[in-house]
Amino acid sequence: MAGGISLKELAAELKLAPSTVSRALNDSYEISDATKKRVISMAEKLNYHANPFARSLRENKSKTIAVIIPERINNFFAQVVDGIEEIAQEHGYHLLIYNTHEDLERERKIVNLLLNGRADAIVMSVTSQTSDISHLQKLHDRGLPIVFFDRIRADIPTTKFITNDYESAFEGTKHLIKQGCTKIALLTLGKDLSISQERQRGYSDAILSEGMELNPALTLYCSHEEPHNVKLIQELLLSSDRPDGILSSAEKLAFATYQAIKRTKLRMPSDVKLISFANSSIAGLLNPSLTTITQPALSIGNECAKLLIKKLTKPKHYELLDQVITIPSQLTIRESTLQE
Amino acid sequence: MAGGISLKELAAELKLAPSTVSRALNDSYEISDATKKRVISMAEKLNYHANPFARSLRENKSKTIAVIIPERINNFFAQVVDGIEEIAQEHGYHLLIYNTHEDLERERKIVNLLLNGRADAIVMSVTSQTSDISHLQKLHDRGLPIVFFDRIRADIPTTKFITNDYESAFEGTKHLIKQGCTKIALLTLGKDLSISQERQRGYSDAILSEGMELNPALTLYCSHEEPHNVKLIQELLLSSDRPDGILSSAEKLAFATYQAIKRTKLRMPSDVKLISFANSSIAGLLNPSLTTITQPALSIGNECAKLLIKKLTKPKHYELLDQVITIPSQLTIRESTLQE
DNA sequence: ATAAAATGCGGAATCGATTTCGAAAATTTT
DNA sequence: AAAATTTTCGAAATCGATTCCGCATTTTAT
């Protein structure tokens, strides 16, 4: 607005045509080295910066990737975004970031906002409420490259990045069993969520594979409100179905469990053992320290960005195939599942 | 790219001039209700979406605010961004978010990227290394509205939002003294940082006001590497200057302190009491639970965005005055400073 | 030395939406 | 019924950078 001269003004100053200046700045072979140097030095002197919107309009691309996440105050999502940004920055891409706050209505609005081409591509993880996907379908139909991660939707034919939710839950549950647990509870979020289903399947299969019984009362469908979850977990811990092991499928549910346990007279890990999907570095600081399944958040972000940028820069050579790419999580055993 | 028709095509379909269609869609008084309805319904039918770059080019504004933070995996900054986004969304603004990773060189690059007008305004918190500010000066000179929060630079004449760092540190230190501490350490980050200086001043004044002595060995300048900080704190705890109270000016330094204490034979709070600036909800979960000074992150974000949007929409009526606006933090006493 | 090709640059159209200027058409006023 | 408005809309310029097309001038080939 205030500062900033245009290409035309720069050209006038140099007594050259705008087309020549443009080519010089873009290092075109049609321009002699002498004038290139002259143009570049004058551009620096006058502090010229190309208007990104004129360029976007002309080239029909914005050098911008939109990222849609359901929560910002969440180590996993924050790390994924860091991973995306790392690659994006290397390639001169900017990041528009949107938080849906786990609200489907907000997700719809944001997605509709992106229908106009403001971003060249989208990386997203859906809300735990997302059942109807017409808004996502519309995005995909429009030809906008989109990849999903973690919370994916199988019904949109594109590439998705996840961790090995099934195996991790399976392994985590097995670990609890090996530590002597016989009544294992599962804390989960939305039923419609891809990852919830996978983790639940892993949990169930592990229990069945050991010849143990599945007790539906031991699966807790939690919400996004901390106090409510704490109460729910507390009730479970005081019920006749009291579990001696808990597999939590989200970091915040593990925190709620610490709270709930604190309110009962139970001791961790002697009375109840806990393992959780988690990405926070404080897992080791909790008392007892928390056994975790850590998702490869940074890598997931990296891969999402790499794939999209390939697709954007060489659209002929790369397709967003309808496939799910899995990057394994890591199990870190700490005190919360220690056998005493 | 693929989908999407232009205004001209929409106009042709309607057998109207592009100008008319534009006005109809923008609800101009010059267009009859009848044609407005006709245009709008056809626009919906054909799924028309205005090209944001054409509009930005013409109107010389992007409806975008850039946010620059030094860390993404940090509850304080994440909350501030949530606060900014809340207001921005209400007004149809988009957020370009950049993480400098506490790296001055990266900060410079990002700031230079914004020199071309891609964003209408900037909200930022500088890195702990930022001493030279010529890059920020350039931004400001260019007339780009910019506000700082938390980590501010007094030498750029614009509005800054902070919390009452001096008073909070003063009060926090007083609290430790009241709990019986006689040798209080301060954990701090960059020396050049505005907030560090304020907090240090509050810490010092509190100690002096009680007639106690300041011991320079009790001020620890920490880095951004967790292991290094843990080692540093551990050494302090084992030295002859062993403190019985610690004021930490960042959440992660508090976590490092928990680690360090765990490695010594010391007990918290009996041997050492700890109070920290922190915004994470897990403070209450730690063992012992952590006494915190919580910054009003969401409000800070809200206010930054409100002010900028006022400035952007009514530039004549609002100026970004060279002033510092303070929003108070809140002290929450927990077990880590309990007297036994 | 003349034809052919390559080099270096300018003119003008283009991307898509907004807006100024102006002109019909419809309405109201006298 | 003629004049003055008001309503409603169209033509064309504009924002700034890119690029197709064209035209000199210089270099290379024959």
Side-chain angles (χ1 to χ4, degrees), chain A residues 160-230:
Chain A
K160 300 111 184 172
F161 292 89
I162 59 170
T163 187
N164 55 348
D165 292 291
Y166 172 83
E167 290 81 1
S168 297
F170 186 88
E171 210 187 318
T173 308
K174 280 265 194 183
H175 170 66
L176 286 174
I177 295 172
K178 221 170 279 169
Q179 298 303 99
C181 298
T182 56
K183 296 185 68 175
I184 300 176
L186 171 69
L187 308 183
T188 184
L189 288 170
K191 282 189 200 189
D192 295 324
L193 230 42
S194 53
I195 52 171
S196 297
Q197 292 168 359
E198 285 300 291
R199 291 174 187 180
Q200 184 162 14
R201 221 161 49 78
Y203 158 82
S204 301
D205 283 4
I207 289 180
L208 295 174
S209 80
E210 294 284 337
M212 296 166 62
E213 296 255 323
L214 271 178
N215 179 353
L218 287 177
T219 293
L220 237 54
Y221 296 97
C222 301
S223 71
H224 292 290
E225 288 145 35
E226 172 113 339
H228 175 250
N229 292 336
V230 174

Side-chain angles (χ1 to χ4, degrees), chain A residues 25-266:
Chain A
L25 291 173
N26 289 312
D27 201 30
S28 160
Y29 69 98
E30 308 182 85
I31 306 298
S32 72
D33 286 346
T35 47
K36 271 184 193 170
K37 274 182 193 155
R38 208 161 70 83
V39 169
I40 290 171
S41 87
M42 180 63 86
E44 285 199 0
K45 185 177 155 203
L46 299 185
N47 229 298
Y48 168 79
H49 292 274
N51 183 314
F53 307 116
R55 183 173 284 164
S56 288
L57 176 59
R58 177 65 215 237
E59 310 213 308
N60 199 31
K61 59 185 179 193
S62 61
K63 282 274 190 176
T64 300
I65 294 175
V67 179
I68 306 177
I69 54 175
E71 261 188 331
R72 202 187 308 272
I73 305 178
N74 177 312
N75 290 292
F76 172 70
F77 291 115
Q79 281 178 46
V80 171
V81 176
D82 268 347
I84 297 171
E85 186 178 28
E86 186 180 337
I87 305 298
Q89 263 183 16
E90 280 174 20
H91 294 81
Y93 278 80
H94 299 252
L95 253 41
L96 280 172
I97 306 181
Y98 302 87
N99 180 357
T100 62
H101 292 267
E102 297 279 14
D103 179 6
L104 178 56
E105 204 40 55
R106 264 175 136 143
E107 182 178 280
R108 279 215 193 86
K109 275 188 194 152
I110 292 166
V111 162
N112 284 331
L113 243 36
L114 294 172
L115 241 34
N116 61 13
R118 186 177 283 270
D120 294 341
I122 298 177
V123 183
M124 83 178 284
S125 201
V126 303
T127 77
S128 50
Q129 303 176 21
T130 305
S131 47
D132 171 37
I133 56 148
S134 54
H135 56 302
L136 303 178
Q137 191 63 54
K138 218 173 2 174
L139 216 51
H140 185 259
D141 290 348
R142 214 175 172 76
L144 206 63
I146 172 169
V147 307
F148 292 92
F149 71 91
D150 195 53
R151 314 233 197 125
I152 66 177
R153 291 297 314 211
D155 30 16
I156 306 278
T158 183
T159 305
K160 300 111 184 172
F161 292 89
I162 59 170
T163 187
N164 55 348
D165 292 291
Y166 172 83
E167 290 81 1
S168 297
F170 186 88
E171 210 187 318
T173 308
K174 280 265 194 183
H175 170 66
L176 286 174
I177 295 172
K178 221 170 279 169
Q179 298 303 99
C181 298
T182 56
K183 296 185 68 175
I184 300 176
L186 171 69
L187 308 183
T188 184
L189 288 170
K191 282 189 200 189
D192 295 324
L193 230 42
S194 53
I195 52 171
S196 297
Q197 292 168 359
E198 285 300 291
R199 291 174 187 180
Q200 184 162 14
R201 221 161 49 78
Y203 158 82
S204 301
D205 283 4
I207 289 180
L208 295 174
S209 80
E210 294 284 337
M212 296 166 62
E213 296 255 323
L214 271 178
N215 179 353
L218 287 177
T219 293
L220 237 54
Y221 296 97
C222 301
S223 71
H224 292 290
E225 288 145 35
E226 172 113 339
H228 175 250
N229 292 336
V230 174
K231 211 178 119 211
L232 221 59
I233 298 166
Q234 192 177 349
E235 281 170 8
L236 178 68
L237 288 171
L238 297 175
S239 75
S240 56
D241 284 315
R242 178 166 77 77
D244 55 5
I246 298 179
L247 171 65
S248 154
S249 68
E251 191 169 293
K252 63 177 167 190
L253 298 183
F255 294 159
T257 305
Y258 273 84
Q259 293 256 39
I261 290 180
K262 205 172 185 180
R263 296 195 190 170
T264 66
K265 299 287 174 211
L266 299 171

Side-chain angles (χ1 to χ4, degrees), chain B residues 229-248:
Chain B
N229 292 335
V230 174
K231 210 178 118 213
L232 221 60
I233 298 166
Q234 192 177 348
E235 282 169 6
L236 178 68
L237 288 171
L238 296 175
S239 76
S240 57
D241 284 315
R242 179 165 77 77
D244 54 6
I246 298 179
L247 171 65
S248 153

Side-chain angles (χ1 to χ4, degrees), chain B residues 7 19 22-23 48 51 55 58:
Chain B
L7 186 75
S19 49
S22 171
R23 278 185 277 240
Y48 168 78
N51 182 313
R55 183 174 286 163
R58 177 64 213 238

Side-chain angles (χ1 to χ4, degrees), chain B residues 6 49 82 144 188 206 248 316 325:
Chain B
S6 72
H49 292 273
D82 268 347
L144 206 61
T188 184
S248 153
K316 312 275 175 196
I325 296 175

Side-chain angles (χ1 to χ4, degrees), chain B residues 49-118:
Chain B
H49 292 273
N51 182 313
F53 308 117
R55 183 174 286 163
S56 288
L57 175 59
R58 177 64 213 238
E59 310 213 309
N60 199 30
K61 59 186 178 192
S62 61
K63 282 270 186 180
T64 299
I65 294 174
V67 180
I68 306 178
I69 54 176
E71 259 188 331
R72 202 189 306 276
I73 304 178
N74 176 312
N75 290 292
F76 172 69
F77 291 115
Q79 281 178 45
V80 171
V81 176
D82 268 347
I84 297 171
E85 186 178 27
E86 187 179 336
I87 304 298
Q89 260 181 19
E90 279 174 21
H91 294 81
Y93 278 79
H94 298 252
L95 254 42
L96 280 172
I97 306 181
Y98 303 87
N99 180 357
T100 62
H101 293 267
E102 296 280 13
D103 179 6
L104 177 56
E105 203 40 55
R106 263 174 137 144
E107 182 178 279
R108 278 214 193 87
K109 274 186 194 153
I110 292 165
V111 162
N112 285 331
L113 244 34
L114 294 172
L115 241 34
N116 61 13
R118 185 177 284 270

Side-chain angles (χ1 to χ4, degrees), chain B residues 4-294:
Chain B
I5 64 165
S6 72
L7 186 75
K8 208 190 292 182
E9 295 171 294
L10 176 59
E13 197 67 36
L14 285 159
K15 295 191 193 303
L16 285 174
S19 49
T20 304
V21 176
S22 171
R23 278 185 277 240
L25 291 174
N26 289 313
D27 201 29
S28 160
Y29 69 98
E30 305 182 86
I31 305 297
S32 71
D33 286 346
T35 48
K36 272 183 193 170
K37 275 183 190 152
R38 209 160 69 84
V39 169
I40 291 172
S41 86
M42 181 63 85
E44 286 199 358
K45 186 179 153 201
L46 300 186
N47 230 298
Y48 168 78
H49 292 273
N51 182 313
F53 308 117
R55 183 174 286 163
S56 288
L57 175 59
R58 177 64 213 238
E59 310 213 309
N60 199 30
K61 59 186 178 192
S62 61
K63 282 270 186 180
T64 299
I65 294 174
V67 180
I68 306 178
I69 54 176
E71 259 188 331
R72 202 189 306 276
I73 304 178
N74 176 312
N75 290 292
F76 172 69
F77 291 115
Q79 281 178 45
V80 171
V81 176
D82 268 347
I84 297 171
E85 186 178 27
E86 187 179 336
I87 304 298
Q89 260 181 19
E90 279 174 21
H91 294 81
Y93 278 79
H94 298 252
L95 254 42
L96 280 172
I97 306 181
Y98 303 87
N99 180 357
T100 62
H101 293 267
E102 296 280 13
D103 179 6
L104 177 56
E105 203 40 55
R106 263 174 137 144
E107 182 178 279
R108 278 214 193 87
K109 274 186 194 153
I110 292 165
V111 162
N112 285 331
L113 244 34
L114 294 172
L115 241 34
N116 61 13
R118 185 177 284 270
D120 294 341
I122 298 178
V123 183
M124 83 179 285
S125 202
V126 302
T127 77
S128 49
Q129 302 176 20
T130 305
S131 47
D132 171 38
I133 56 149
S134 54
H135 57 301
L136 303 177
Q137 191 62 54
K138 215 170 8 169
L139 216 50
H140 186 259
D141 290 347
R142 214 173 171 76
L144 206 61
I146 173 168
V147 306
F148 291 92
F149 70 92
D150 194 53
R151 311 226 196 134
I152 65 177
R153 291 295 314 211
D155 30 17
I156 306 278
T158 183
T159 306
K160 299 110 184 173
F161 292 89
I162 58 170
T163 187
N164 55 348
D165 291 291
Y166 173 83
E167 291 80 1
S168 297
F170 187 89
E171 209 186 319
T173 308
K174 280 264 189 182
H175 171 65
L176 285 174
I177 295 172
K178 221 171 280 170
Q179 297 303 99
C181 298
T182 56
K183 295 184 70 174
I184 299 176
L186 171 68
L187 307 183
T188 184
L189 288 171
K191 280 189 200 189
D192 293 325
L193 230 41
S194 54
I195 52 174
S196 296
Q197 292 168 358
E198 284 302 289
R199 291 174 187 180
Q200 183 161 15
R201 217 161 53 76
Y203 157 82
S204 302
D205 283 4
I207 289 180
L208 294 175
S209 80
E210 294 284 335
M212 295 165 65
E213 295 257 322
L214 272 180
N215 179 352
L218 288 177
T219 293
L220 237 55
Y221 296 96
C222 301
S223 71
H224 292 290
E225 290 147 34
E226 172 114 340
H228 174 249
N229 292 335
V230 174
K231 210 178 118 213
L232 221 60
I233 298 166
Q234 192 177 348
E235 282 169 6
L236 178 68
L237 288 171
L238 296 175
S239 76
S240 57
D241 284 315
R242 179 165 77 77
D244 54 6
I246 298 179
L247 171 65
S248 153
S249 68
E251 192 170 293
K252 63 177 170 192
L253 298 182
F255 294 159
T257 305
Y258 272 84
Q259 294 255 41
I261 290 180
K262 206 172 184 178
R263 295 192 190 171
T264 66
K265 299 286 174 210
L266 299 171
R267 305 277 301 175
M268 180 149 78
S270 46
D271 298 323
V272 194
K273 303 194 198 318
L274 176 63
I275 179 173
S276 179
F277 281 82
N279 274 67
S280 171
S281 60
I282 63 151
L285 291 180
L286 294 168
N287 201 323
S289 58
L290 177 62
T291 293
T292 56
I293 298 167
T294 305

